[in-house]
């Protein structure tokens, strides 16, 4: 009998509860993973808090029918998306993964969809197309941090057509997605202007970015820091950063935002991220870069797999300003 974290109503971390879950056999094109680590993302707590209104507003602007068709929510629901572990069973039509493989992966269900699975469980049945082999040098705790961040960054850069020679501004550059995006952009030959708080300036330099603190007169400070005109902007935070791109002279096609905001979309910014990811190929690319130390995975803190620790982890994550990733260690 396995254990899982789930919730039966919307609310803060206090709605999370631990439940027993019987072992499941993987279905067609699925694998079962003995989970060793789970990486946490802000979307996790936004989902169990029921903070879906921002996404709903954006979907109504972009794809109103798609939102209405997928808006029902069923309980109980699982928590978290990113995981790493060892395969202990494979379903039919899985040809490139085997029992005993160390893997990492991500669950890609959207908040409005009916899928109730979550990664915070001791044993997870997951679609094989969201799972890749873990490079041997990469620890499970770091591998579990890569799913959402890598597919979000790769998808955004694909939509923005990032290429060598670009000068890109990335907001929230020290966060879980921003730090991966900054290093991935550098690895592709772009110059990165990373926006973060003052305490993260040295950290951003270590990632290969040119750091700029957020705050007043940001446009002029970004221009002063950039070695040549800014060509792209990726907003990992929200708020006024789409406007910053406009102030820097960028058009909407050169501005991407990961944060659902009708105002940003109506200003012409592109709502992007994992929706534009190629899936496994992107995850494999970033995992190998991390294994080769071309991308550093910053672990802000590791928690154990207990209800008390998991609630504490999400409480910390919801406060913001976490540098890197929070991880639940099941080993």
């Amino acid at each position: 009998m396995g254990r899982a974290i789930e919730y039966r109503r919307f609310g803060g971390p206090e709605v999370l509860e631990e439940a027993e879950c019987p072992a499941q056999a993987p279905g067609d094109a699925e694998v079962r993973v003995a989970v060793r680590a789970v990486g946490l993302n802000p979307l996790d707590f936004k989902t169990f808090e029921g903070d879906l209104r921002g996404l709903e507003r954006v979907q109504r602007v972009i794809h109103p029918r798609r939102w209405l068709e997928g808006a029902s929510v069923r309980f109980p629901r699982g928590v978290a998306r990113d995981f790493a572990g060892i395969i202990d069973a494979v379903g039919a039509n899985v040809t490139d993964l085997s029992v005993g493989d160390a893997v990492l992966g991500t669950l890609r269900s959207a908040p409005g969809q009916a899928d109730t699975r979550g990664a915070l469980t001791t044993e997870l049945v997951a679609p094989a197309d969201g799972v890749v082999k873990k490079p041997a040098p990469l620890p499970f705790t770091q591998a579990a941090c890569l799913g959402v961040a890598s597919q979000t960054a790769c998808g955004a850069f694909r939509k923005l057509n990032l290429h060598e020679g670009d000068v890109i501004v990335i907001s929230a550059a020290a966060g879980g997605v921003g730090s991966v995006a900054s290093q991935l952009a550098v690895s592709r030959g772009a110059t990165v202007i990373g926006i973060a708080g003052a305490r993260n300036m040295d950290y951003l330099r270590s990632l290969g970015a040119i750091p700029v603190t957020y705050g007043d007169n940001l446009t002029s400070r970004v221009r002063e820091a950039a070695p040549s005109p800014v060509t792209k902007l990726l907003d990992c935070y929200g708020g006024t950063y789409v406007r910053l791109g406009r102030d820097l002279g960028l058009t909407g096609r050169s501005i991407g935002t990961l944060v659902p905001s009708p105002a940003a979309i109506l200003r012409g910014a592109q709502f992007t991220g994992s929706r534009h990811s190629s899936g496994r190929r992107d995850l494999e690319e970033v995992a190998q870069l991390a294994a080769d130390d071309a991308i550093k995975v910053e672990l802000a803190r590791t928690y154990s797999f207990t209800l008390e620790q998991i609630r504490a982890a999400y409480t910390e994550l919801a406060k913001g300003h976490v540098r890197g990733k929070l991880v639940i260690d099941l080993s």
Side-chain angles (χ1 to χ4, degrees):
M1 186 72 69
R3 294 180 295 143
I5 302 299
E6 61 184 30
Y7 60 101
R8 299 172 183 274
R9 59 186 174 88
F10 291 128
E14 71 280 357
V15 304
L16 301 180
E17 56 188 66
E18 185 174 325
E20 290 188 343
C21 52
Q24 284 184 279
D28 186 39
E30 292 183 329
V31 296
R32 190 174 67 201
V33 178
V35 180
R36 295 289 183 268
V38 176
L40 308 189
N41 293 285
L43 184 59
D44 301 346
F45 69 77
K46 291 178 181 178
T47 302
F48 66 68
E49 285 179 347
D51 185 16
L52 310 181
R53 290 170 295 178
L55 179 58
E56 178 183 2
R57 288 194 296 267
V58 171
Q59 293 286 5
R60 284 175 174 170
V61 171
I62 304 175
H63 298 298
R65 180 173 295 179
R66 185 180 302 174
W67 171 259
L68 291 174
E69 289 174 349
S72 62
V73 176
R74 293 188 302 163
F75 295 106
R77 296 185 66 83
V79 183
R81 295 187 178 192
D82 290 349
F83 60 90
I86 298 174
I87 292 178
D88 63 13
V90 297
N93 298 316
V94 177
T95 60
D96 56 348
L97 296 169
S98 304
V99 171
D101 285 346
V103 296
L104 64 147
T106 187
L107 302 173
R108 297 190 65 183
S109 60
Q113 293 178 347
D115 193 343
T116 59
R117 286 175 289 192
L120 267 173
T121 179
T122 54
E123 196 170 72
L124 171 66
V125 172
D129 64 3
V131 177
V132 302
K133 292 181 182 179
K134 181 183 74 67
L138 193 62
F140 284 110
T141 49
Q142 294 182 328
C145 298
L146 295 178
V148 167
S150 62
Q151 292 185 347
T152 298
C154 288
F157 290 158
R158 182 171 292 109
K159 186 66 174 176
L160 288 172
N161 191 28
L162 183 79
H163 53 76
E164 184 176 358
D166 269 327
V167 178
I168 183 170
V169 174
I170 299 178
S171 65
V177 173
S179 58
V180 169
S182 296
Q183 295 174 89
L184 183 62
V186 169
S187 76
R188 294 182 177 183
T191 298
V192 175
I193 311 297
I195 298 173
R199 73 183 184 92
N200 287 315
M201 295 296 97
D202 287 341
Y203 174 60
L204 291 184
R205 290 188 189 95
S206 76
L207 304 183
I210 299 171
V212 175
T213 56
Y214 56 73
D216 296 337
N217 302 315
L218 182 57
T219 303
S220 61
R221 288 187 288 109
V222 167
R223 284 191 174 125
E224 290 172 3
S228 56
V230 173
T231 58
K232 304 279 170 62
L233 182 143
L234 177 59
D235 166 34
C236 300
Y237 183 80
T240 61
Y241 289 108
V242 169
R243 183 176 298 172
L244 170 64
R246 291 293 194 181
D247 291 343
L248 291 167
L250 303 180
T251 65
R253 292 183 63 83
S254 298
I255 303 172
T257 182
L258 309 181
V259 183
S261 164
I265 304 304
L266 292 173
R267 288 191 190 110
Q270 302 186 86
F271 180 35
T272 184
S274 61
R275 66 203 306 261
H276 295 122
S277 171
S278 66
R280 295 178 83 182
R281 189 168 75 247
D282 289 341
L283 186 51
E284 286 171 338
E285 176 191 358
V286 176
Q288 192 58 56
L289 287 169
D292 294 340
D293 289 328
I295 284 183
K296 302 174 185 176
V297 181
E298 178 86 357
L299 299 185
R301 188 171 176 184
T302 301
Y303 291 83
S304 60
F305 188 79
T306 68
L307 183 58
E308 181 182 18
Q309 284 271 290
I310 290 166
R311 285 175 174 173
Y314 278 119
T315 298
E316 179 179 357
L317 188 61
K319 292 177 181 177
H321 305 292
V322 173
R323 186 168 79 189
K325 298 286 289 190
L326 301 180
V327 179
I328 306 300
D329 188 353
L330 285 76
S331 61

